[in-house]
Amino acid sequence: MDRHELAQFLRNRRESLRPAEVGLPAGTGRRRTPGLRREEVAWRAGVSANYYERLEQARAPRPSPQVVAALARALRLGDDESAHLARLAGQTPPSRERPAAEVPEGVRMLLDRVGAVPAYVLNARHDVLAWNAMAAELITDFAALPAAEQNLLRLSVRFGEQWCRGSGDGFLRQAAADLRQAAVRYPSDTGIAELVRDCSAVSAEFAASWHAHDVRGPQTLRKRINHPELGALDLDCQTLHVPGTDQRLVTFSAEPGSVDHDKLLRLQLRALRNT
């Protein structure tokens, strides 16, 4: 059980909720807290205000599974947030290993069969484990990078708009959420802490997202990628979980007949010539 991380997560989620969202009156006086009060969360969860206060102060004993479930309901947590809360509370044993680096053979075969769709595979640390020729043409030649640099987050904060971060595309927020979960799942992996430290020092946006303690799952993103020859491409970015692993298959696509789709077809021809 990580008492301090649990305390910060509970406090962040409590402060992000507004009384009206849970059916409580806002009240006539000014609130000193930006969200719900501690006693309001305690009342909704059916625990004492004193016990909940000690949870947020990292002084309480490990909550039972019933209390964890009640807190998740009181704070209106989603599935990913509820699972994260259970891990922080010590209800789910953490893995003693690092994020898996071996990509299933079937996924590798799929990468080569998706045609004009750029795709790559990430682990929980955002290491790029495998990619197809289209991803190399669209983003970068991952094989030419040192192993330590084959990480999507490091590339994004290093190159910024010159690489694949479209304005407001939400990638850094999602990466911070992913790493929050990975840090709890793999507490012995010092590489995660190093990655967070390095990227926080370079990117204020990532640092703010990390401190927000958001752990919501991957969403469909609209991403703008700036290609050195084809210019900007506005693409739909889909994330699919690889069953039995913490890996994700990420694909990029465009509406058939659109300008961006035509650019992907041109990239496919380049990829075929280079193989």
Side-chain angles (χ1 to χ4, degrees):
M1 173 179 170
D2 191 329
R3 285 185 171 85
H4 292 284
E5 283 292 322
L6 174 62
Q8 292 175 10
F9 181 70
L10 289 173
R11 182 164 54 252
N12 179 273
R13 296 278 73 82
R14 173 176 61 81
E15 293 178 350
S16 69
L17 276 177
R18 298 296 179 265
E21 294 181 81
V22 295
L24 293 174
T28 56
R30 172 173 291 188
R31 283 176 167 258
R32 289 180 295 177
T33 177
L36 297 184
R37 298 186 177 100
R38 287 173 175 170
E39 58 267 26
E40 290 170 337
V41 175
W43 173 75
R44 284 175 52 80
V47 299
S48 72
N50 177 264
Y51 176 69
Y52 182 77
E53 181 179 9
R54 286 187 291 134
L55 279 173
E56 282 203 6
Q57 293 174 344
R59 296 190 299 111
R62 176 184 297 179
S64 68
Q66 292 79 11
V67 169
V68 170
L71 289 172
R73 291 192 297 270
L75 294 169
R76 300 186 64 185
L77 302 185
D79 291 343
D80 290 307
E81 294 171 311
S82 297
H84 185 67
L85 176 62
R87 293 191 193 98
L88 289 175
Q91 304 298 337
T92 303
S95 173
R96 304 241 178 233
E97 302 175 356
R98 297 182 177 183
E102 186 64 31
V103 178
E105 184 60 29
V107 176
R108 288 187 179 276
M109 294 173 62
L110 179 62
L111 284 175
D112 295 327
R113 294 177 178 175
V114 290
V117 177
Y120 51 72
V121 177
L122 302 176
N123 64 10
R125 199 168 46 202
H126 276 250
D127 297 326
V128 184
L129 305 179
W131 56 90
N132 62 9
M134 282 291 288
E137 291 290 344
L138 177 66
I139 301 172
T140 190
D141 184 4
F142 295 106
L145 298 173
E149 294 298 319
Q150 293 176 359
N151 179 279
L152 204 65
L153 180 56
R154 287 191 185 278
L155 288 171
S156 184
V157 298
R158 176 182 175 185
F159 294 109
E161 294 289 346
Q162 299 176 6
W163 185 61
C164 72
R165 268 190 55 219
S167 176
D169 66 13
F171 170 72
L172 292 182
R173 292 193 303 275
Q174 186 60 62
D178 294 339
L179 289 177
R180 271 288 174 194
Q181 297 185 71
V184 177
R185 191 179 298 119
Y186 302 103
S188 62
D189 184 4
T190 58
I192 295 176
E194 179 183 350
L195 178 62
V196 171
R197 183 178 62 252
D198 292 348
C199 292
S200 295
V202 175
S203 170
E205 182 184 350
F206 175 80
S209 298
W210 174 256
H211 290 297
H213 286 262
D214 190 358
V215 293
R216 285 171 290 185
Q219 305 169 6
T220 300
L221 300 176
R222 183 74 173 168
K223 184 176 286 289
R224 168 163 291 185
I225 295 181
N226 298 307
H227 192 270
E229 295 182 18
L230 301 179
L233 291 86
D234 291 310
L235 304 173
D236 292 320
C237 178
Q238 297 281 351
T239 301
L240 305 173
H241 284 280
V242 178
T245 75
D246 64 1
Q247 298 172 7
R248 284 159 291 169
L249 174 67
V250 181
T251 65
F252 296 90
S253 61
E255 184 71 23
S258 66
V259 173
D260 293 314
H261 187 260
D262 290 341
K263 290 181 180 180
L264 288 180
L265 292 177
R266 290 164 61 186
L267 279 180
Q268 185 181 26
L269 291 176
R270 285 167 48 103
L272 290 173
R273 287 197 298 266
N274 292 334
T275 55

